[in-house]
Amino acid sequence: RLNRMADAVRGIDLLHEKKDKWKVRILFKRLEKRMGEDYVLIRELATLAQKGIVLHHGQMCKHYLETVSIMAQHNLAKLIFCTSTLSTGINLPVKTAILTSSKMPSRHGMVTLPSSLFFQICGRAGRPGCGESIGLVVLCQWEDSMHWKDIFEADVEHVQGPGVVNPRTILNCFTFDSIDTEQVLCRSPFSCVNYDHLL
């Protein structure tokens, strides 16, 4: 569906500056060197990127997604078609998030977007450090099956982390005096309920 949506706007060029087009061309030349003969799989996407239009979802190759992140950080990706991968949003700043449906695919068919995921996606709108102080969220409703009200009014979900502490976290606690070891390892929302073994 994302591919079809991106294909529908193929005739629009959102990158007007020659220097921006040059930057995108350089990024994709580097990507071509990294991917080798597999680059043929994303050649059409490279053509779209020259116009400031990119795709971002879990089925894309890792190298392409890294390039999309770089484009987004440098304001070269003007239009990003993506799935709920936007919710993680690290390195993918956007000014406006447009949600086209209140449903998402799952193993059990189409389900209503979980409230926590919805607010995570909305939280990506706005570009702190990129000159934007306010983000916009647009909710499209052209189907009778939209459930935005249900999402807004859903109960807050309790989040419990798995309690897995990786070696890097522990090493940082011993390396930097400014880190409160007990707070980081034992009182974090991602700590396990019983942390006696950590002490």
Side-chain angles (χ1 to χ4, degrees):
R1 184 176 173 202
L2 290 182
N3 291 338
R4 287 198 313 271
M5 291 169 77
D7 204 46
V9 295
R10 182 176 294 279
I12 302 171
D13 192 348
L14 301 172
L15 276 184
H16 305 296
E17 300 284 330
K18 284 187 177 180
K19 65 178 182 178
D20 289 342
K21 288 186 177 294
W22 177 79
K23 288 175 186 175
V24 172
R25 202 171 296 122
I26 294 296
L27 283 171
F28 276 86
K29 282 288 181 194
R30 289 180 186 158
L31 182 58
E32 186 174 8
K33 283 182 184 176
R34 287 173 73 191
M35 291 184 69
E37 61 187 34
D38 290 338
Y39 184 77
V40 72
L41 300 172
I42 63 149
R43 185 165 282 139
E44 287 296 314
L45 298 175
T47 305
L48 268 178
Q50 289 286 323
K51 299 177 179 185
I53 302 166
V54 293
L55 281 85
H56 191 285
H57 58 78
Q59 302 302 316
M60 293 291 189
C61 86
K62 178 184 167 191
H63 298 310
Y64 172 77
L65 294 178
E66 288 171 3
T67 303
V68 167
S69 293
I70 293 168
M71 286 181 66
Q73 289 170 46
H74 291 91
N75 202 21
L76 298 170
K78 304 293 185 182
L79 182 58
I80 305 172
F81 290 97
C82 60
T83 58
S84 58
T85 56
L86 177 64
S87 63
T88 53
I90 312 162
N91 303 328
L92 203 63
V94 298
K95 179 179 179 179
T96 304
I98 301 172
L99 286 91
T100 60
S101 177
S102 61
K103 299 271 187 181
M104 63 178 280
S106 76
R107 282 178 278 190
H108 311 292
M110 296 299 282
V111 296
T112 301
L113 198 65
S115 183
S116 58
L117 183 60
F118 169 77
F119 287 113
Q120 273 290 100
I121 292 169
C122 293
R124 300 301 141 219
R127 300 168 57 96
C130 300
E132 303 286 347
S133 57
I134 296 174
L136 305 172
V137 177
V138 178
L139 307 178
C140 299
Q141 183 158 348
W142 54 72
E143 300 171 6
D144 292 334
S145 61
M146 295 293 181
H147 298 88
W148 298 127
K149 189 172 184 283
D150 297 338
I151 293 170
F152 288 139
E153 295 175 353
D155 292 334
V156 176
E157 295 175 32
H158 179 71
V159 177
Q160 177 68 43
V164 176
V165 178
N166 62 33
R168 180 179 179 167
T169 307
I170 295 171
L171 289 173
N172 281 341
C173 288
F174 290 123
T175 307
F176 302 105
D177 292 333
S178 60
I179 295 177
D180 180 351
T181 306
E182 191 170 341
Q183 176 67 34
V184 170
L185 297 179
C186 305
R187 297 202 182 96
S188 158
F190 301 103
S191 300
C192 56
V193 178
N194 182 355
Y195 48 81
D196 292 341
H197 62 288
L198 293 175
L199 295 175

